[in-house]
Amino acid sequence: MATIDGTSIKKLIVACDAGMGSSVMLASTLKKQLAKNGVTVEHSPVASIPSDADLVFSLAGLAERARHTVPDVPVVPFQLFLGDPAVAKIVKAIQNGESFEV
Amino acid sequence: MSDETGPALAALLAESSIRLAETASDKEDAIRQVGAALLEADAIDASYIDAMLERERSVSTFVGEGVAIPHGTLAGKDSVKNDALVVLRFPDGVDWDGNDVRVCVGIAARGNGHIALLSQLATVLLDPDRAAALRAATTSDEVYELLKPDPEDE
């Protein structure tokens, strides 16, 4: 577990295998939710997550591969594209400038 | 197709690729039908269908609100000839690992041309009324109207 300052998140990556489908949809939703907070949201295949990311959301089954790609970046697994509780909690923390645990 | 449908949307999602009264015996059958529609749209080589099934075995493409978005793996990208989407509606539903799927949006993409459309799909699915409209759509005009990218999106 690590505590992360929500205001320190400037680049958030949504990762899935091909970077073709669900990651695109979640990234576009997060982009709208976090636009006011100055957070850049991009989607990426797990194998090519940029190392300058501050936080990675990854489909649960791919989290280990995401961690392997960027060992120094916190990776948060999610299960549901719509209303995943882990994602919702972190989005709220970033919006409010609060810290959160990963 | 309605006049205001942009050329980009129609090029990506052909009217012949919108099939709204399909039936499938199970998830694999549904994915194979989505693959067949992508094949007919000249978007993929047949091997992409195996990549779609493989992707589904590792991680489900169910995204909620009765919608799944079957697509291939990163390795399967080489089998994509042209970016295209297809929409198949299964009015009787398909059992998707316990979820009831009514609409499959099949994706074949090498580039980023489909992002605006997927972004719009995300917006539709986050709005329960519009998500219900997509599940109930019986004409291609309705589908185009729902998936028309929001001009505010890039």
Side-chain angles (χ1 to χ4, degrees), chain B residues 28 38 43 45 52 55 58-59 71 76 93 106 111 116 124 130 134 146:
Chain B
E28 181 170 334
L38 286 169
D45 291 323
M52 294 172 76
R55 154 67 205 231
S58 63
V59 189
H71 57 273
V124 167
R130 284 195 284 168
L134 180 64
L146 285 163

Side-chain angles (χ1 to χ4, degrees), chain B residues 70-117:
Chain B
H71 57 273
T73 56
L74 187 60
K77 261 192 181 176
D78 289 341
S79 309
V80 177
K81 291 156 70 178
N82 298 294
D83 289 8
L85 285 91
V86 300
V87 172
L88 273 69
R89 174 171 169 261
F90 301 94
D92 298 332
V94 180
D95 179 358
W96 211 276
D97 310 319
N99 297 298
D100 180 22
V101 163
R102 299 298 169 108
V103 175
C104 284
V105 179
I107 305 167
R110 299 177 74 98
N112 290 325
H114 66 304
I115 286 176
L117 195 154

Side-chain angles (χ1 to χ4, degrees), chain A residues 17 20 29 31-32 43 82, chain B residues 73-74 114-115 123 126 154:
Chain A
D17 174 76
M20 203 189 286
T29 307
K31 200 178 275 184
K32 286 176 193 164
H43 64 92
L82 293 169
Chain B
T73 56
L74 187 60
H114 66 304
I115 286 176
T123 306
L126 289 167
E154 57 201 328

